[in-house]
Amino acid sequence: MKISNDIEYIGVDDHEIDLFEGQYIVENGMSYNSYLIKDEKIAVLDTVDAHFTEKWLDNVKHALHSRHPDYLIIQHMEPDHSASISHFMERYKDTKIVATAKAFVMMKQFFGTDFGDKKIVVGEGDTLSLGKHTLTFVMAPMVHWPEVMVTYDSCDKVLFSADGFGKFGALDIEDDWACEARRYYIGIVGKYGAQVQTLLKKASQLDIEIICPLHGPVLKEDLSYYLNLYQIWSSYSVETEGVMIAYTSIYGNTKKAVELLADKLREKGCTKVVVSDLARYDMAEAVEDAFRYSKLVLATTTYNNGIFPFMREFIHHLTERNFQNRIVGFIENGTWAPVAAKTMKQMLDTCKNLTFTDTTVQIKSALSEESRAQLEAFANELSSDDTI
Ligand code: FEO
């Protein structure tokens, strides 16, 4: 696949994967992107996952047309991109590796060598001339590991963005970009909003017409759409006004309360109400929704003098990703000593700029007249102009 006259896509699709990074469900597979720039000199950008080394090396060979690669540029050392470095270097022994100093430390850890006299260490603003293409390296630490850099080609106005602007899903399956890019971003890079903001500021100084990420499609049109979403996600801003209700239920009584709340909210004019059973729904989708919507309702049972395990895990996912700037309310259930609401609130203590609703709904075993009245007040509060 041609990206421009001189730039070719040489990555691979993975439909064999069960869990990406050992935890994310990827029903549509995954792509590990790699690119080749052909000029007076030839540069290959990044390698691929270990399961696809041979296929990728075939792609490299095919794109080279009997020429020899001068540079292998490594933007990120996570194995989904770096695992094939040593195989590449066995085949193309004279190629120089271009990467950050931290990346070479990681190469030594992964491969037992940092490729000695083949290495070219680059830092912020360093350039590499291939002929008419001059590449500028821009440091992007913690997007998503500390050694990450991105690469700008001023000739074709291309930003090679490493994990930035990536998404789940193989390239031979068409799906909605934002849905799977959001789940990817929040899950994998969500904690590092400040670092992504720094990179976006640097990118705003560049004239970019094409974004080539390490996962997902090459982005060519309406780049402001993607940049705007990254701006929202990395600043922890609200993307969509609406209520996300995340719950767990053991015998169905908490579920009944949640369904009643959702119905009431819709009746009162909330057009976006999403409900997630944390024990059965993809946890990464639920986490994504919590970051997407303006209001979050957490509903769970008291369990072992704390809260039900799936809710504990969910809140942990939120706090470790710096969840903030949202309105949060609670529904708790407990048959003899309910502590769920207090426990959930304590777990969110470290989050910045959360506004808690005045109403907390307490269910004692099953819905009662009293708890139904609390749900009505809760729905009024969540749907009022003050909180929308
Ligand atoms: Fe796609 Fe952070 O590796």
Side-chain angles (χ1 to χ4, degrees):
M1 178 174 51
K2 281 274 192 189
I3 312 293
S4 70
N5 274 342
D6 303 326
I7 302 176
E8 196 164 333
Y9 177 85
I10 54 167
V12 296
D13 272 346
D14 181 355
H15 286 292
E16 296 161 25
I17 190 167
D18 59 345
L19 293 173
F20 180 66
E21 289 192 359
Q23 61 172 317
Y24 296 102
I25 296 163
V26 282
E27 285 175 351
N28 289 338
M30 201 66 204
S31 75
Y32 311 116
N33 299 347
S34 170
Y35 304 92
L36 185 142
I37 308 174
K38 200 180 279 179
D39 200 338
E40 289 165 28
K41 304 271 188 188
I42 292 182
V44 173
L45 285 103
D46 296 294
T47 80
V48 299
D49 182 88
H51 296 89
F52 296 88
T53 301
E54 288 308 315
K55 180 165 179 19
W56 172 70
L57 285 172
D58 284 351
N59 291 352
V60 173
K61 186 178 170 191
H62 188 258
L64 282 170
H65 285 116
S66 304
R67 288 182 62 189
H68 192 277
D70 297 279
Y71 303 107
L72 174 63
I73 297 168
I74 297 298
Q75 303 184 105
H76 182 15
M77 275 302 296
E78 195 165 9
D80 50 335
H81 311 293
S82 71
S84 305
I85 293 175
S86 56
H87 294 89
F88 179 94
M89 292 306 288
E90 275 165 29
R91 185 171 294 192
Y92 302 108
K93 291 187 171 26
D94 298 331
T95 304
K96 302 275 191 201
I97 303 183
V98 181
T100 60
K102 280 197 173 77
F104 282 110
V105 171
M106 292 180 183
M107 273 179 232
K108 182 105 197 259
Q109 291 171 186
F110 277 112
F111 304 114
T113 173
D114 63 359
F115 300 95
D117 59 347
K118 300 292 186 299
K119 68 185 200 188
I120 299 176
V121 180
V122 291
E124 182 73 40
D126 286 349
T127 58
L128 179 72
S129 173
L130 303 178
K132 64 182 200 263
H133 294 261
T134 297
L135 305 180
T136 303
F137 302 107
V138 178
M139 300 301 105
M142 299 319 297
V143 186
H144 130 248
W145 278 17
E147 84 299 356
V148 172
M149 66 178 189
V150 301
T151 305
Y152 178 64
D153 171 23
S154 53
C155 178
D156 287 346
K157 299 181 178 169
V158 177
L159 180 69
F160 297 93
S161 58
D163 273 342
F165 301 94
K167 71 179 269 298
F168 296 126
L171 295 187
D172 58 1
I173 292 184
E174 265 192 44
D175 57 6
D176 177 63
W177 186 87
C179 182
E180 284 296 70
R182 187 190 303 104
R183 189 167 70 97
Y184 174 91
Y185 174 86
I186 299 296
I188 290 172
V189 198
K191 179 181 175 63
Y192 304 109
Q195 290 85 348
V196 174
Q197 288 267 298
T198 301
L199 180 59
L200 288 175
K201 278 197 190 86
K202 292 182 189 177
S204 70
Q205 304 303 309
L206 303 171
D207 183 9
I208 301 167
E209 289 183 358
I210 301 173
I211 296 175
C212 290
L214 286 177
H215 302 288
V218 170
L219 308 174
K220 282 188 169 177
E221 281 156 27
D222 195 13
L223 293 189
S224 60
Y225 169 75
Y226 307 102
L227 289 162
N228 182 48
L229 283 176
Y230 255 62
Q231 184 62 36
I232 291 168
W233 299 339
S234 60
S235 61
Y236 304 95
S237 302
V238 171
E239 181 184 342
T240 306
E241 289 296 333
V243 184
M244 194 262 176
I245 308 173
Y247 78 95
T248 65
S249 189
I250 305 174
Y251 293 107
N253 289 302
T254 309
K255 182 178 181 179
K256 271 186 199 154
V258 161
E259 287 171 344
L260 187 56
L261 175 66
D263 288 346
K264 285 177 182 290
L265 289 170
R266 290 182 186 116
E267 279 165 20
K268 291 174 193 296
C270 295
T271 51
K272 280 283 179 194
V273 180
V274 297
V275 178
S276 177
D277 177 349
L278 297 176
R280 293 174 178 81
Y281 199 57
D282 173 13
M283 185 62 81
E285 287 272 1
V287 172
E288 169 196 347
D289 282 341
F291 280 84
R292 176 177 183 175
Y293 293 103
S294 49
K295 294 166 197 164
L296 175 65
V297 171
L298 300 173
T300 196
T301 40
T302 301
Y303 188 81
N304 286 338
N305 201 31
I307 55 173
F308 205 58
F310 295 103
M311 180 59 79
R312 180 172 293 284
E313 183 191 342
F314 180 66
I315 295 175
H316 184 65
H317 281 299
L318 300 186
T319 54
E320 72 175 4
R321 287 169 177 76
N322 289 323
F323 184 72
Q324 55 188 276
N325 303 333
R326 296 295 186 274
I327 293 162
V328 180
F330 304 105
I331 299 173
E332 68 174 0
N333 195 348
T335 293
W336 64 94
V339 294
K342 187 177 89 179
T343 306
M344 289 189 283
K345 197 169 180 187
Q346 278 171 352
M347 287 183 72
L348 292 167
D349 255 0
T350 54
C351 296
K352 283 192 288 187
N353 197 27
L354 296 187
T355 304
F356 295 103
T357 56
D358 293 335
T359 312
T360 293
V361 177
Q362 186 180 81
I363 303 160
K364 287 282 196 73
S365 308
L367 278 171
S368 63
E369 208 172 302
E370 198 181 350
S371 52
R372 284 176 192 276
Q374 288 175 352
L375 277 172
E376 178 67 19
F378 197 29
N380 284 335
E381 197 178 342
L382 287 166
S383 59
S384 75
D385 288 345
D386 284 350
T387 52
I388 282 229

